[in-house]
């Protein structure tokens, strides 16, 4: 508990390296405390170590899968990494556990604004699309021949068939995920 308090004091003083060291010490003393990992993730974000922060969030969620603060932080990290498709899912997961969670609600709105502004502008965010293309889930969706047919239909093939396919919630979710990942553009 003392290490966590020292970490919190260092965090408030914006002394990120000390905060990280203290939170790591707190984790060593009490490895089952999800909050310590979440605090470590917050400090790691401040030094732009998003990979380390993501790992700390995952550890917190391994310890407590319903820890909404860690879910919201995970969404924030995915947002900062321009992994909007993941951030949307993460914030929605947090809201299924705690429907009035402000951090998840705000994160979801912020992410939707980014997805909508970048898809509506016609501009391709190459960094976002690269993150999306590197995601194994996105790659699997793109390998699905049915998804490819729907994309062809929607982009000028058989518009009516494309619209019918989008009525299927599973297909619609896949197409929305491709849009959020920046892989598929809408006009």
């Amino acid at each position: 508990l003392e290490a966590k308090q020292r970490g919190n004091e260092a965090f408030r003083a914006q002394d990120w390296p000390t905060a990280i060291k203290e939170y790591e010490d707190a984790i060593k003393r009490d490895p089952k405390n999800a909050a310590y990992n979440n605090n470590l993730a917050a400090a790691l974000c401040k030094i732009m170590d998003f990979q380390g922060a993501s790992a700390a969030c995952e550890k917190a969620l391994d310890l407590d899968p319903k820890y909404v603060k860690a879910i919201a932080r995970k969404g924030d990290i995915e947002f900062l990494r321009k992994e909007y498709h993941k951030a949307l899912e993460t914030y929605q997961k947090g809201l299924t556990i705690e429907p009035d969670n402000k951090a998840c609600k705000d994160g979801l709105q912020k992410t939707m604004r980014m997805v909508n502004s970048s898809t509506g502008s016609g501009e391709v965010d190459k960094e976002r699309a690269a993150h999306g293309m590197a995601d194994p889930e996105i790659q699997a969706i793109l390998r699905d021949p049915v998804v490819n047919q729907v994309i062809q239909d929607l982009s000028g093939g058989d518009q009516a068939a494309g619209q019918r396919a989008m009525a299927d919630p599973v297909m619609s979710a896949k197409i929305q995920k491709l849009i959020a990942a920046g892989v598929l553009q809408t006009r």
Side-chain angles (χ1 to χ4, degrees), residues 62-74:
D62 286 346
L63 294 168
D64 182 357
K66 295 187 183 297
Y67 187 29
V68 178
K69 270 186 162 181
I71 292 171
R73 176 133 12 255
K74 180 181 179 207

Side-chain angles (χ1 to χ4, degrees), residues 106-177:
D106 292 349
L108 186 62
Q109 288 177 341
K110 171 179 67 173
T111 306
M112 289 300 296
R113 273 196 306 276
M114 287 303 291
V115 168
N116 292 334
S117 72
S118 54
T119 57
S121 70
E123 294 285 314
V124 176
D125 183 340
K126 289 178 177 38
E127 181 185 357
R128 181 171 142 223
H131 280 290
M133 291 300 289
D135 185 326
E137 184 181 7
I138 297 298
Q139 292 171 5
I141 292 171
L142 289 170
R143 282 193 299 272
D144 182 336
V146 178
V147 170
N148 281 306
Q149 184 60 52
V150 171
I151 291 170
Q152 271 187 336
D153 290 343
L154 289 171
S155 63
D158 183 350
Q159 290 275 329
Q163 292 301 324
R164 280 193 304 277
M166 289 299 288
D168 171 19
V170 173
M171 182 56 63
S172 181
K174 288 180 179 182
I175 298 297
Q176 292 301 322
K177 188 168 285 204

Side-chain angles (χ1 to χ4, degrees), residues 6-24:
R6 289 192 304 268
N8 289 348
E9 288 167 14
F11 192 92
R12 281 191 289 276
Q14 299 183 3
D15 180 358
W16 315 127
T18 301
I20 291 166
K21 183 177 94 38
E22 294 297 344
Y23 291 140
E24 286 172 340

Side-chain angles (χ1 to χ4, degrees), residues 21 52 79 82 84 101 126 144 164 176 184 186:
K21 183 177 94 38
F79 179 87
K82 292 190 173 188
Y84 301 141
N101 183 278
K126 289 178 177 38
D144 182 336
R164 280 193 304 277
Q176 292 301 322
L184 189 62
T186 59

Side-chain angles (χ1 to χ4, degrees), residues 27 34 36-42 44 50-63 70 73 77:
I27 291 166
Y36 297 170
N37 283 284
N38 193 47
N39 290 356
L40 175 61
L44 290 169
F50 299 127
Q51 192 167 346
S54 185
C57 272
E58 290 299 334
K59 180 66 178 160
L61 291 170
D62 286 346
L63 294 168
R73 176 133 12 255
I77 293 164

